[in-house]
Amino acid sequence: MTDTNLRPGGIIPVDAFEHASPKDLEWLTSSTLVVVVMGASGDLAKKKTYPSLLNLYDDNLLPQNTMIIGYARSKLTNDDLRDRLRPFLLKTSHSEVVVERFLQRCVYQGGKSYGDLDAFEEMKGRMEEFEAKHSAESSHANRLYYFAIPPNVFADTGLAIKEKGMQDDAKGWTRLIVEKPFGRDLESFEVLNKTLSQHFNEEMMFR
């Protein structure tokens, strides 16, 4: 493989089906996925999280029926979010056509805080509407939350997800990816870890 085939940072594009197990293939080809990027208006999300999701999208490593919801406290529309993301995505190795197709999957959900239950209730309705729209061709409807937010709002965010954002186990799984640093020190780590562990089992959390 030549250098021109590499992603930024030397990441090699992959064939989604080359090393996939039958279970992986089922997940990719017959499931619905909602990814929620918590902290969507921040630098981490714009510079790292969304470009990484774009890589997965272009490598066919996201299910065909995937929606990406960006959550933050800023007052934005779907198009406002896309306009903020576009310059960072166009700096990647992906074509403008691919970037625009990816951005059409990206929508925005605002809230007064990261524990705003009313906003999470509204977002839940959007997820359920998307999942219902694709239920005929999907065996499962999965939800993944990515925490691109400061550690001091991890707990409030986790509690709001537990209250309003969990997927029914019979329909699919719920996963939380918690970005480091996980707390400021050992003491704050233990408090956060205890809070999240009370509501989510280890299978659900990646940190």
Side-chain angles (χ1 to χ4, degrees), residues 43-159:
D43 282 346
L44 175 61
K46 291 183 291 187
K47 295 178 180 179
K48 298 294 184 181
T49 310
Y50 278 96
S52 295
L53 289 169
L54 174 60
N55 285 343
L56 293 175
Y57 170 76
D58 198 20
D59 286 337
N60 296 316
L61 290 172
L62 293 176
Q64 181 177 354
N65 297 324
T66 294
M67 177 170 68
I68 302 171
I69 302 176
Y71 183 101
R73 293 171 293 186
S74 305
K75 293 183 179 180
L76 303 174
T77 65
N78 293 340
D79 286 338
D80 289 338
L81 175 66
R82 292 164 184 157
D83 289 343
R84 289 191 178 198
L85 296 174
R86 187 175 287 106
F88 296 93
L89 301 181
L90 290 174
K91 291 179 182 178
T92 67
S93 63
H94 305 281
S95 70
E96 185 174 351
V97 171
V98 169
V99 168
E100 292 303 323
R101 287 175 180 169
F102 171 77
L103 284 172
Q104 290 307 305
R105 296 175 178 266
C106 300
V107 298
Y108 184 74
Q109 174 68 51
K112 295 178 181 178
S113 70
Y114 286 101
D116 184 344
L117 295 182
D118 289 337
F120 271 80
E121 179 69 27
E122 182 179 341
M123 183 165 65
K124 176 184 176 182
R126 297 174 74 177
M127 291 191 287
E128 290 177 343
E129 181 180 359
F130 178 78
E131 291 162 355
K133 178 181 178 181
H134 298 289
S135 61
E137 67 250 38
S138 300
S139 59
H140 296 89
N142 302 315
R143 299 176 183 176
L144 186 152
Y145 295 85
Y146 189 96
F147 285 30
I149 49 178
N152 65 312
V153 292
F154 281 3
D156 287 346
T157 303
L159 292 175

